Amino acid sequence: MTLTATGGPDHPAWSGRQTALLRAVDELHDTARVSDAAWSGLREHLDEPEVLELLVLAGWYRTIAYVANGARIEPEPWALALPGTDRSGA
């Protein structure tokens, strides 16, 4: 199943909680902000400390991606590539 690589937040496979998380993380990725609508969506499923923890977690993943990509760390050979991912480093 490749839903995490190809399905958007509105895909019917996602629960309301998953949809809210995906929307917020997509916004963070695109703008480094969370809109009022996305914040409200998160708060329907998470309390405020959990939302803040999500922001920190997303930031850590972003930081790890910067370091791994900047240092050109090769993907693990045993790991499956996401659909459409070029594993050659080109």
Side-chain angles (χ1 to χ4, degrees):
M1 180 180 208
T2 60
L3 188 59
T4 58
T6 60
D10 296 317
H11 193 283
W14 301 125
S15 69
R17 178 185 168 106
Q18 291 168 326
T19 294
L21 290 166
L22 288 168
R23 284 189 180 139
V25 171
D26 283 349
E27 286 186 13
L28 281 170
H29 174 71
D30 292 342
T31 68
R33 293 180 167 264
V34 177
S35 68
D36 290 342
W39 185 272
S40 294
L42 287 172
R43 292 290 281 128
E44 289 178 22
H45 304 280
L46 305 172
D47 62 25
E48 192 166 294
E50 290 172 321
V51 174
L52 295 174
E53 185 174 347
L54 171 68
L55 298 177
V56 171
L57 179 65
W60 276 114
Y61 274 102
R62 184 71 160 203
T63 300
I64 291 166
Y66 282 173
V67 172
N69 292 334
R72 297 188 176 152
I73 296 172
E74 295 294 322
E76 295 89 350
W78 49 264
L80 296 175
L82 292 173
T85 301
D86 179 6
R87 302 285 306 260
S88 69

